[in-house]
Amino acid sequence: MPKSPVPFARFEWMIAWRYLRARRAEGGVSVMTLISVIGVTLAVFALIATLTVRSGFRTEFVSIILGVNAHVTIYQSTTDVSTGQVARTIPNYIALAERISAVEGVTRAAPLVRAQVLASVDERNAGVEVYGISPQDLYSLPRISSPEFSLGYMEDFAEGLALGSGVARELGVTVGDSVRLISPSGARTAFGISPRVSIFPVVYIFRTGRFDIDRTRIYLPLVEAQRFFDRDNVVDELEVMVSNPEEVDAYLDTLLQVAGAGAFVWTWRDASAGFLRALEIEDNVMFVLMSVLVLVATMNIVSGLIMLVKNKSRDIGILRTLGLTRGTIMRVFFLCGAGIGLLGTALGVMLGCLFAIYIDSIFSFVNYAVGDGVWDPAIRGIYHVPAQLRLWDILMAVTLSLVLSFVITLFPARRAARMDPVEALRYE
């Protein structure tokens, strides 16, 4: 009994390579091979581009959230026994901030006065949110102290306002100009509540990278904010930063114990829960859709192999009569399909990586070609399309493409192996 050849022997690779590069005049399907390779390449490229942009979006948004906003916000609610009124301010905020800062893992605890006001310059008005914060605490915010863009000097913050670039653009001001802040919660008079109005100079303008923050946020020195909003010796909240914001829930029990009775907390995950959940759902949906695209592209391999098996039926019959086993025939055609999938996947990975690396240049060209307006930060929330290359995303795309290519290839390869050599040569 003849000995079976070693699986994937050298001659099997040679036969598969010959079939793949054969021209139509020689009974090959090189055009279908090319179409299959292009299809897999574009599908893998689209999958990797989607995954990298998806990762970039989450990383960019979380980075901005953690670089500007509190990781944990501590509030207090106390009731005056004599009047029954509920106060939501923190009276002994300096001592509380020191106790919170001493908690293991806490990097900063900053007292804040926070309120919404109307900012006005001549005939221009904008609704803004004012954060009263001490200069040293403002310096510790990475997206403020090291923004994408800035005007003025943070060292002058004690003398005036720090504005988001969107607020400055809306009011038409720059460093050195003055802004009027109008608070509806003013002093009570015989004629009702009189709004509080104060004028402050602009000393610093920043751009964090997130449009909605730059469009609404103003920082005011804590002492000035307490005076303007009538918060004598109290603050509205404590802004707490921790060393590991991704594990912020692990700090909550300790922070509540230290804060004492009447305290409650609000984490950055709570504040952004809806947005983060929407990102997660969108990630899953986009991955499924792109996976279907890869599946459709790999189906081209099936059609190409079926045509190849039909054109090579005579060759299959001759090879079988020469002693080649069904397993050998199956492996030859499996190598044909797997080679197409492997080549298309490699080219798709290259294109996807290049897209992620040069995404800014690509979108700049697209903006120039269509006359700008492709990316509106007012709608998207950020100023550019982020992309982050992660090894895990690339491995997921490669694994999905290769598994689908290899599995789908088995069906036409098995059909070729089951072909009867007598039937294959009957009309030859």
Side-chain angles (χ1 to χ4, degrees), residues 72-96:
V72 183
T73 303
I74 298 180
Y75 304 92
Q76 274 192 348
S77 177
T78 57
T79 304
D80 190 330
V81 179
S82 59
T83 63
Q85 293 182 343
V86 177
R88 300 192 182 278
T89 56
I90 304 176
N92 301 318
Y93 60 90
I94 297 178
L96 179 58

PDB file of all heavy atoms in Angstrom, residues 72-96:
ATOM      1  N   VAL A  72     -13.888  62.374  41.437  1.00  0.00           N
ATOM      2  CA  VAL A  72     -14.970  62.212  42.411  1.00  0.00           C
ATOM      3  C   VAL A  72     -15.342  63.594  42.932  1.00  0.00           C
ATOM      4  O   VAL A  72     -14.463  64.383  43.278  1.00  0.00           O
ATOM      5  CB  VAL A  72     -14.553  61.313  43.603  1.00  0.00           C
ATOM      6  CG1 VAL A  72     -15.728  61.120  44.557  1.00  0.00           C
ATOM      7  CG2 VAL A  72     -14.032  59.973  43.118  1.00  0.00           C
ATOM      8  N   THR A  73     -16.628  63.888  42.959  1.00  0.00           N
ATOM      9  CA  THR A  73     -17.109  65.150  43.524  1.00  0.00           C
ATOM     10  C   THR A  73     -17.841  64.852  44.827  1.00  0.00           C
ATOM     11  O   THR A  73     -18.726  63.992  44.864  1.00  0.00           O
ATOM     12  CB  THR A  73     -18.053  65.871  42.556  1.00  0.00           C
ATOM     13  OG1 THR A  73     -17.380  66.086  41.310  1.00  0.00           O
ATOM     14  CG2 THR A  73     -18.468  67.223  43.123  1.00  0.00           C
ATOM     15  N   ILE A  74     -17.459  65.546  45.883  1.00  0.00           N
ATOM     16  CA  ILE A  74     -18.068  65.341  47.202  1.00  0.00           C
ATOM     17  C   ILE A  74     -18.981  66.523  47.517  1.00  0.00           C
ATOM     18  O   ILE A  74     -18.565  67.688  47.443  1.00  0.00           O
ATOM     19  CB  ILE A  74     -16.992  65.192  48.289  1.00  0.00           C
ATOM     20  CG1 ILE A  74     -16.132  63.950  48.007  1.00  0.00           C
ATOM     21  CG2 ILE A  74     -17.638  65.092  49.678  1.00  0.00           C
ATOM     22  CD1 ILE A  74     -15.042  63.737  49.032  1.00  0.00           C
ATOM     23  N   TYR A  75     -20.222  66.221  47.871  1.00  0.00           N
ATOM     24  CA  TYR A  75     -21.195  67.221  48.289  1.00  0.00           C
ATOM     25  C   TYR A  75     -21.583  66.955  49.743  1.00  0.00           C
ATOM     26  O   TYR A  75     -21.394  65.845  50.253  1.00  0.00           O
ATOM     27  CB  TYR A  75     -22.457  67.173  47.425  1.00  0.00           C
ATOM     28  CG  TYR A  75     -22.215  67.339  45.941  1.00  0.00           C
ATOM     29  CD1 TYR A  75     -22.022  66.244  45.121  1.00  0.00           C
ATOM     30  CD2 TYR A  75     -22.200  68.601  45.360  1.00  0.00           C
ATOM     31  CE1 TYR A  75     -21.812  66.382  43.755  1.00  0.00           C
ATOM     32  CE2 TYR A  75     -21.990  68.765  43.988  1.00  0.00           C
ATOM     33  CZ  TYR A  75     -21.804  67.643  43.204  1.00  0.00           C
ATOM     34  OH  TYR A  75     -21.582  67.794  41.856  1.00  0.00           O
ATOM     35  N   GLN A  76     -22.160  67.975  50.389  1.00  0.00           N
ATOM     36  CA  GLN A  76     -22.693  67.807  51.738  1.00  0.00           C
ATOM     37  C   GLN A  76     -24.070  68.434  51.818  1.00  0.00           C
ATOM     38  O   GLN A  76     -24.337  69.460  51.189  1.00  0.00           O
ATOM     39  CB  GLN A  76     -21.769  68.437  52.788  1.00  0.00           C
ATOM     40  CG  GLN A  76     -20.662  67.519  53.258  1.00  0.00           C
ATOM     41  CD  GLN A  76     -19.962  68.045  54.488  1.00  0.00           C
ATOM     42  OE1 GLN A  76     -20.144  69.198  54.871  1.00  0.00           O
ATOM     43  NE2 GLN A  76     -19.160  67.203  55.127  1.00  0.00           N
ATOM     44  N   SER A  77     -24.903  67.777  52.578  1.00  0.00           N
ATOM     45  CA  SER A  77     -26.251  68.280  52.794  1.00  0.00           C
ATOM     46  C   SER A  77     -26.512  68.318  54.297  1.00  0.00           C
ATOM     47  O   SER A  77     -26.464  67.278  54.964  1.00  0.00           O
ATOM     48  CB  SER A  77     -27.282  67.388  52.095  1.00  0.00           C
ATOM     49  OG  SER A  77     -28.589  67.833  52.351  1.00  0.00           O
ATOM     50  N   THR A  78     -26.726  69.509  54.822  1.00  0.00           N
ATOM     51  CA  THR A  78     -26.986  69.671  56.257  1.00  0.00           C
ATOM     52  C   THR A  78     -28.299  70.412  56.461  1.00  0.00           C
ATOM     53  O   THR A  78     -28.696  71.254  55.640  1.00  0.00           O
ATOM     54  CB  THR A  78     -25.847  70.456  56.936  1.00  0.00           C
ATOM     55  OG1 THR A  78     -25.697  71.713  56.289  1.00  0.00           O
ATOM     56  CG2 THR A  78     -24.529  69.687  56.846  1.00  0.00           C
ATOM     57  N   THR A  79     -28.964  70.125  57.576  1.00  0.00           N
ATOM     58  CA  THR A  79     -30.251  70.745  57.896  1.00  0.00           C
ATOM     59  C   THR A  79     -30.118  71.591  59.151  1.00  0.00           C
ATOM     60  O   THR A  79     -29.617  71.113  60.187  1.00  0.00           O
ATOM     61  CB  THR A  79     -31.336  69.680  58.100  1.00  0.00           C
ATOM     62  OG1 THR A  79     -31.415  68.858  56.923  1.00  0.00           O
ATOM     63  CG2 THR A  79     -32.690  70.316  58.364  1.00  0.00           C
ATOM     64  N   ASP A  80     -30.549  72.828  59.063  1.00  0.00           N
ATOM     65  CA  ASP A  80     -30.546  73.721  60.217  1.00  0.00           C
ATOM     66  C   ASP A  80     -31.726  73.331  61.107  1.00  0.00           C
ATOM     67  O   ASP A  80     -32.891  73.425  60.708  1.00  0.00           O
ATOM     68  CB  ASP A  80     -30.662  75.171  59.760  1.00  0.00           C
ATOM     69  CG  ASP A  80     -30.429  76.158  60.891  1.00  0.00           C
ATOM     70  OD1 ASP A  80     -30.734  75.818  62.051  1.00  0.00           O
ATOM     71  OD2 ASP A  80     -29.935  77.262  60.617  1.00  0.00           O
ATOM     72  N   VAL A  81     -31.425  72.908  62.340  1.00  0.00           N
ATOM     73  CA  VAL A  81     -32.473  72.420  63.247  1.00  0.00           C
ATOM     74  C   VAL A  81     -33.470  73.514  63.581  1.00  0.00           C
ATOM     75  O   VAL A  81     -34.685  73.273  63.689  1.00  0.00           O
ATOM     76  CB  VAL A  81     -31.830  71.864  64.542  1.00  0.00           C
ATOM     77  CG1 VAL A  81     -32.917  71.375  65.504  1.00  0.00           C
ATOM     78  CG2 VAL A  81     -30.857  70.754  64.225  1.00  0.00           C
ATOM     79  N   SER A  82     -33.006  74.750  63.759  1.00  0.00           N
ATOM     80  CA  SER A  82     -33.897  75.838  64.172  1.00  0.00           C
ATOM     81  C   SER A  82     -34.840  76.273  63.066  1.00  0.00           C
ATOM     82  O   SER A  82     -36.018  76.555  63.306  1.00  0.00           O
ATOM     83  CB  SER A  82     -33.070  77.032  64.656  1.00  0.00           C
ATOM     84  OG  SER A  82     -32.211  77.474  63.606  1.00  0.00           O
ATOM     85  N   THR A  83     -34.330  76.314  61.830  1.00  0.00           N
ATOM     86  CA  THR A  83     -35.154  76.801  60.711  1.00  0.00           C
ATOM     87  C   THR A  83     -35.684  75.680  59.829  1.00  0.00           C
ATOM     88  O   THR A  83     -36.654  75.872  59.095  1.00  0.00           O
ATOM     89  CB  THR A  83     -34.349  77.780  59.851  1.00  0.00           C
ATOM     90  OG1 THR A  83     -33.224  77.088  59.283  1.00  0.00           O
ATOM     91  CG2 THR A  83     -33.851  78.952  60.698  1.00  0.00           C
ATOM     92  N   GLY A  84     -35.047  74.540  59.870  1.00  0.00           N
ATOM     93  CA  GLY A  84     -35.462  73.431  59.013  1.00  0.00           C
ATOM     94  C   GLY A  84     -34.989  73.548  57.588  1.00  0.00           C
ATOM     95  O   GLY A  84     -35.336  72.731  56.736  1.00  0.00           O
ATOM     96  N   GLN A  85     -34.172  74.564  57.306  1.00  0.00           N
ATOM     97  CA  GLN A  85     -33.672  74.749  55.953  1.00  0.00           C
ATOM     98  C   GLN A  85     -32.500  73.810  55.661  1.00  0.00           C
ATOM     99  O   GLN A  85     -31.675  73.541  56.537  1.00  0.00           O
ATOM    100  CB  GLN A  85     -33.229  76.200  55.735  1.00  0.00           C
ATOM    101  CG  GLN A  85     -34.370  77.205  55.757  1.00  0.00           C
ATOM    102  CD  GLN A  85     -33.904  78.611  55.483  1.00  0.00           C
ATOM    103  OE1 GLN A  85     -32.715  78.901  55.573  1.00  0.00           O
ATOM    104  NE2 GLN A  85     -34.840  79.492  55.139  1.00  0.00           N
ATOM    105  N   VAL A  86     -32.463  73.328  54.412  1.00  0.00           N
ATOM    106  CA  VAL A  86     -31.400  72.419  53.987  1.00  0.00           C
ATOM    107  C   VAL A  86     -30.321  73.217  53.263  1.00  0.00           C
ATOM    108  O   VAL A  86     -30.618  73.952  52.314  1.00  0.00           O
ATOM    109  CB  VAL A  86     -31.946  71.315  53.067  1.00  0.00           C
ATOM    110  CG1 VAL A  86     -30.813  70.419  52.578  1.00  0.00           C
ATOM    111  CG2 VAL A  86     -33.004  70.491  53.795  1.00  0.00           C
ATOM    112  N   ALA A  87     -29.094  73.107  53.746  1.00  0.00           N
ATOM    113  CA  ALA A  87     -27.964  73.786  53.116  1.00  0.00           C
ATOM    114  C   ALA A  87     -27.116  72.765  52.380  1.00  0.00           C
ATOM    115  O   ALA A  87     -26.761  71.724  52.946  1.00  0.00           O
ATOM    116  CB  ALA A  87     -27.127  74.512  54.166  1.00  0.00           C
ATOM    117  N   ARG A  88     -26.778  73.055  51.143  1.00  0.00           N
ATOM    118  CA  ARG A  88     -25.975  72.141  50.331  1.00  0.00           C
ATOM    119  C   ARG A  88     -24.579  72.727  50.068  1.00  0.00           C
ATOM    120  O   ARG A  88     -24.031  72.573  48.997  1.00  0.00           O
ATOM    121  CB  ARG A  88     -26.685  71.836  49.014  1.00  0.00           C
ATOM    122  CG  ARG A  88     -28.053  71.186  49.209  1.00  0.00           C
ATOM    123  CD  ARG A  88     -28.622  70.619  47.936  1.00  0.00           C
ATOM    124  NE  ARG A  88     -29.927  70.045  48.138  1.00  0.00           N
ATOM    125  CZ  ARG A  88     -30.169  68.831  48.607  1.00  0.00           C
ATOM    126  NH1 ARG A  88     -29.159  68.050  48.929  1.00  0.00           N
ATOM    127  NH2 ARG A  88     -31.401  68.378  48.772  1.00  0.00           N
ATOM    128  N   THR A  89     -24.062  73.386  51.058  1.00  0.00           N
ATOM    129  CA  THR A  89     -22.706  73.920  50.982  1.00  0.00           C
ATOM    130  C   THR A  89     -21.827  73.223  52.019  1.00  0.00           C
ATOM    131  O   THR A  89     -22.328  72.554  52.929  1.00  0.00           O
ATOM    132  CB  THR A  89     -22.696  75.437  51.225  1.00  0.00           C
ATOM    133  OG1 THR A  89     -23.308  75.719  52.495  1.00  0.00           O
ATOM    134  CG2 THR A  89     -23.448  76.170  50.129  1.00  0.00           C
ATOM    135  N   ILE A  90     -20.508  73.394  51.872  1.00  0.00           N
ATOM    136  CA  ILE A  90     -19.541  72.767  52.778  1.00  0.00           C
ATOM    137  C   ILE A  90     -18.874  73.878  53.576  1.00  0.00           C
ATOM    138  O   ILE A  90     -18.094  74.665  53.020  1.00  0.00           O
ATOM    139  CB  ILE A  90     -18.491  71.965  51.986  1.00  0.00           C
ATOM    140  CG1 ILE A  90     -19.195  70.919  51.098  1.00  0.00           C
ATOM    141  CG2 ILE A  90     -17.500  71.292  52.918  1.00  0.00           C
ATOM    142  CD1 ILE A  90     -18.247  70.150  50.203  1.00  0.00           C
ATOM    143  N   PRO A  91     -19.159  73.963  54.899  1.00  0.00           N
ATOM    144  CA  PRO A  91     -18.603  75.063  55.687  1.00  0.00           C
ATOM    145  C   PRO A  91     -17.121  74.890  56.026  1.00  0.00           C
ATOM    146  O   PRO A  91     -16.322  75.790  55.788  1.00  0.00           O
ATOM    147  CB  PRO A  91     -19.488  75.081  56.938  1.00  0.00           C
ATOM    148  CG  PRO A  91     -20.034  73.682  57.031  1.00  0.00           C
ATOM    149  CD  PRO A  91     -20.146  73.179  55.639  1.00  0.00           C
ATOM    150  N   ASN A  92     -16.734  73.793  56.586  1.00  0.00           N
ATOM    151  CA  ASN A  92     -15.347  73.572  57.017  1.00  0.00           C
ATOM    152  C   ASN A  92     -14.560  72.893  55.900  1.00  0.00           C
ATOM    153  O   ASN A  92     -14.013  71.803  56.075  1.00  0.00           O
ATOM    154  CB  ASN A  92     -15.319  72.737  58.293  1.00  0.00           C
ATOM    155  CG  ASN A  92     -16.080  73.389  59.437  1.00  0.00           C
ATOM    156  OD1 ASN A  92     -15.969  74.594  59.637  1.00  0.00           O
ATOM    157  ND2 ASN A  92     -16.857  72.602  60.159  1.00  0.00           N
ATOM    158  N   TYR A  93     -14.504  73.548  54.768  1.00  0.00           N
ATOM    159  CA  TYR A  93     -13.957  72.896  53.579  1.00  0.00           C
ATOM    160  C   TYR A  93     -12.438  72.735  53.620  1.00  0.00           C
ATOM    161  O   TYR A  93     -11.903  71.792  53.035  1.00  0.00           O
ATOM    162  CB  TYR A  93     -14.374  73.661  52.313  1.00  0.00           C
ATOM    163  CG  TYR A  93     -13.916  75.080  52.249  1.00  0.00           C
ATOM    164  CD1 TYR A  93     -12.685  75.422  51.685  1.00  0.00           C
ATOM    165  CD2 TYR A  93     -14.707  76.115  52.733  1.00  0.00           C
ATOM    166  CE1 TYR A  93     -12.266  76.728  51.598  1.00  0.00           C
ATOM    167  CE2 TYR A  93     -14.288  77.439  52.658  1.00  0.00           C
ATOM    168  CZ  TYR A  93     -13.068  77.738  52.092  1.00  0.00           C
ATOM    169  OH  TYR A  93     -12.649  79.044  52.010  1.00  0.00           O
ATOM    170  N   ILE A  94     -11.724  73.630  54.316  1.00  0.00           N
ATOM    171  CA  ILE A  94     -10.265  73.504  54.369  1.00  0.00           C
ATOM    172  C   ILE A  94      -9.868  72.259  55.143  1.00  0.00           C
ATOM    173  O   ILE A  94      -9.026  71.456  54.702  1.00  0.00           O
ATOM    174  CB  ILE A  94      -9.641  74.768  54.990  1.00  0.00           C
ATOM    175  CG1 ILE A  94      -9.937  75.986  54.111  1.00  0.00           C
ATOM    176  CG2 ILE A  94      -8.134  74.574  55.170  1.00  0.00           C
ATOM    177  CD1 ILE A  94      -9.392  77.287  54.674  1.00  0.00           C
ATOM    178  N   ALA A  95     -10.481  72.058  56.298  1.00  0.00           N
ATOM    179  CA  ALA A  95     -10.174  70.872  57.108  1.00  0.00           C
ATOM    180  C   ALA A  95     -10.605  69.601  56.395  1.00  0.00           C
ATOM    181  O   ALA A  95      -9.888  68.586  56.406  1.00  0.00           O
ATOM    182  CB  ALA A  95     -10.857  70.979  58.470  1.00  0.00           C
ATOM    183  N   LEU A  96     -11.777  69.647  55.738  1.00  0.00           N
ATOM    184  CA  LEU A  96     -12.255  68.470  55.024  1.00  0.00           C
ATOM    185  C   LEU A  96     -11.337  68.144  53.848  1.00  0.00           C
ATOM    186  O   LEU A  96     -11.023  66.971  53.595  1.00  0.00           O
ATOM    187  CB  LEU A  96     -13.689  68.706  54.528  1.00  0.00           C
ATOM    188  CG  LEU A  96     -14.320  67.565  53.733  1.00  0.00           C
ATOM    189  CD1 LEU A  96     -14.348  66.274  54.546  1.00  0.00           C
ATOM    190  CD2 LEU A  96     -15.732  67.933  53.275  1.00  0.00           C
TER     191      LEU A  96
END
